[in-house]
Amino acid sequence: MVDMTSTAGPMRKPFVLRYPSVAIFLIILALFTATITVLGEGFGIGLISTSFIKTLGKTLCLCLAALAMDLVWGYTGILSLGHMAFFGIGGYAIGMWLMYARTEIIVIESLASSALPPTAQEISDGIATQIFGVVGASEFPPIWAVAHSLPLQLAAVVLVPGLLALVFGWLAFRSRVTGVYLSILTQAMTLALSLYLFQNDSGLRGNNGLSGLQNVPGLDLVPQSTVSILFFWASALALGLGYLVCAWMVSGKFGSVIRAIRDDESRVRFLGYSVEAYKLFIFTFTAVICGIAGALYYPQAGIINPAEIAPIASIYLAVWVAIGGRGRLYGAVIGAAFVSLLSTWFTGGQAPDISLGFYTIQWVDWWTILLGLSFVAVTLFAPRGIGGLIDRFAERRAPDRHGADLGPDLGSLREKEADE
């Protein structure tokens, strides 16, 4: 819904005024945030439960990850099946500090009754035993060297996913690996990381993962109803800023180049553009966005384990973007929010079972099948996804191609069609 044409002249309007769809999205997000705050238990009248506010906060984080997926896939044409790995890394990075700081408080309180004041080494040993006793260890692994420092762990939220994506992308793109082969490589990376984290000697408690992340140090006396609202605000702010930055990126020349790479990579390279540099930047930038989204998601979820990084999670992310309408930022957000909330409804036991006499459909078991069928149906019959319905509502017309197939396949977005 963003017009890709640039406005020249000395008196250029602010970005959000030149692209009304961006302003509309931000206004809707602000109104939604204010409404939930008023209806919530933390600062409002209590019509919405704390658990549901956490669900909405997590949904906003997933929308931010879908935004990144749309930028790398819908706009640049890189079908990454590993971006939820970056999401999980961000969660682990902030989770290490949350678990360390929370355990430190517990250990210090337990040692306060000792005859002699505990030494720093005794406190450190107590924290290590408390955290890693579940996997039969009592010492901190090297990766926990800075877990006590919030600023350093926040830096890790950005730097670790970014560096991993930078190294992986440089190796892949310099070899000009494209298409399904690149997708397989990203999936293999995610699988390898997930299998490694399942090991007890990985330093991250293996299958047990990191737990108790909802207990934020320094906010012990603050009720969870208030903490949930604070994280909900942070998630909404991150989504709004992420949408604004992504919309700005795709609205100018940079956006035109990455869409051209998606549609005809060889021609863009022939024109003198460094295709690999553009792809590497997008891949790394979107990995950082996913890391930030994960860092906001898991304190609201309360726990993270290696299953969260399994390849199926990244496949789900691609499905959300496809259902919402790839190549449209608002479509990615709508798809992630719609499918995530619907999944919560079906798998949470709220959807009534359907009795057919000879068989009872239990949605907890059938939801994934329904999601897969929806993805196939959207791919075959509605490649523009839910975002295409918004285009129709806005009376948008597709470009006249005179029968020319301008995309890499029949389901891809065409010239000037992905205009946000």
Side-chain angles (χ1 to χ4, degrees):
M1 295 176 70
V2 173
D3 185 5
M4 291 299 123
T5 59
S6 61
T7 304
M11 299 296 294
R12 299 186 67 180
K13 296 180 180 179
F15 176 77
V16 294
L17 296 181
R18 285 186 284 124
Y19 303 105
S21 64
V22 178
I24 292 173
F25 176 86
L26 296 178
I27 292 172
I28 292 175
L29 180 61
L31 292 176
F32 172 74
T33 303
T35 301
I36 296 301
T37 300
V38 171
L39 297 180
E41 295 178 346
F43 298 100
I45 58 179
L47 290 181
I48 299 180
S49 66
T50 298
S51 61
F52 187 64
I53 289 177
K54 288 186 177 182
T55 298
L56 293 177
K58 292 186 293 183
T59 300
L60 293 178
C61 296
L62 295 175
C63 290
L64 181 59
L67 205 63
M69 183 65 182
D70 191 37
L71 192 60
V72 74
W73 180 33
Y75 283 91
T76 316
I78 304 172
L79 177 54
S80 170
L81 298 180
H83 262 55
M84 284 302 282
F86 306 127
F87 186 88
I89 290 173
Y92 267 107
I94 195 63
M96 291 167 67
W97 175 80
L98 287 169
M99 198 165 188
Y100 182 98
R102 179 63 179 172
T103 306
E104 182 181 31
I105 295 174
I106 296 174
V107 170
I108 291 176
E109 290 177 351
S110 65
L111 295 176
S113 58
S114 302
L116 296 176
T119 64
Q121 186 61 44
E122 288 177 333
I123 294 176
S124 178
D125 292 341
I127 297 172
T129 302
Q130 187 79 12
I131 294 177
F132 298 102
V134 69
V135 293
S138 58
E139 296 180 355
F140 279 111
I143 61 174
W144 285 72
V146 297
H148 63 280
S149 173
L150 177 58
L152 292 178
Q153 287 301 129
L154 289 176
V157 168
V158 175
L159 293 178
V160 176
L163 289 175
L164 178 59
L166 182 65
V167 173
F168 178 88
W170 184 78
L171 293 173
F173 299 141
R174 71 186 292 267
S175 302
R176 297 191 179 180
V177 180
T178 58
V180 66
Y181 302 103
L182 182 59
S183 299
I184 293 174
L185 281 180
T186 57
Q187 192 173 40
M189 174 197 69
T190 305
L191 179 60
L193 179 61
S194 176
L195 293 177
Y196 172 73
L197 292 176
F198 269 112
Q199 302 177 22
N200 287 339
D201 58 358
S202 65
L204 292 170
R205 303 193 347 145
N207 186 50
N208 299 281
L210 307 180
S211 57
L213 307 185
Q214 75 279 4
N215 300 314
V216 182
L219 298 179
D220 302 327
L221 302 180
V222 179
Q224 280 295 310
S225 59
T226 303
V227 174
S228 65
I229 286 292
L230 296 178
F231 272 104
F232 176 76
W233 288 348
S235 302
L237 178 62
L239 177 59
L241 292 176
Y243 192 94
L244 186 62
V245 172
C246 291
W248 176 77
M249 289 177 61
V250 302
S251 65
K253 178 181 177 181
F254 183 88
S256 300
V257 173
I258 62 174
R259 286 193 301 278
I261 292 174
R262 177 199 63 202
D263 292 335
D264 197 332
E265 181 176 322
S266 298
R267 181 175 294 183
V268 176
R269 184 177 289 108
F270 177 77
L271 292 174
Y273 289 94
S274 179
V275 171
E276 288 71 29
Y278 277 90
K279 293 168 71 172
L280 182 58
F281 174 80
I282 287 293
F283 193 78
T284 304
F285 177 72
T286 53
V288 170
I289 291 179
C290 285
I292 295 172
L296 288 170
Y297 179 93
Y298 288 105
Q300 299 177 83
I303 186 172
I304 179 174
N305 58 56
E308 304 288 333
I309 303 180
I312 187 64
S314 295
I315 295 175
Y316 283 150
L317 185 61
V319 171
W320 299 341
V321 173
I323 290 177
R326 63 190 179 103
R328 295 165 172 82
L329 296 179
Y330 61 88
V333 174
I334 292 172
F338 175 76
V339 178
S340 176
L341 293 176
L342 203 62
S343 174
T344 300
W345 187 65
F346 277 115
T347 60
Q350 300 176 10
D353 297 336
I354 299 178
S355 178
L356 302 178
F358 61 92
Y359 182 78
T360 300
I361 298 178
Q362 296 180 337
W363 291 113
V364 174
D365 302 324
W366 279 84
W367 161 244
T368 53
I369 298 176
L370 178 62
L371 181 62
L373 292 175
S374 301
F375 175 67
V376 173
V378 167
T379 302
L380 293 177
F381 305 110
R384 298 182 185 179
I386 300 176
L389 299 178
I390 297 180
D391 286 347
R392 289 189 179 184
F393 180 78
E395 297 182 351
R396 300 291 305 276
R397 293 182 177 274
D400 184 9
R401 306 189 190 95
H402 303 289
D405 184 11
L406 300 180
D409 56 67
L410 294 179
S412 67
L413 298 171
R414 306 303 197 236
E415 181 182 22
K416 295 184 180 178
E417 186 172 324
D419 54 359
E420 176 178 341

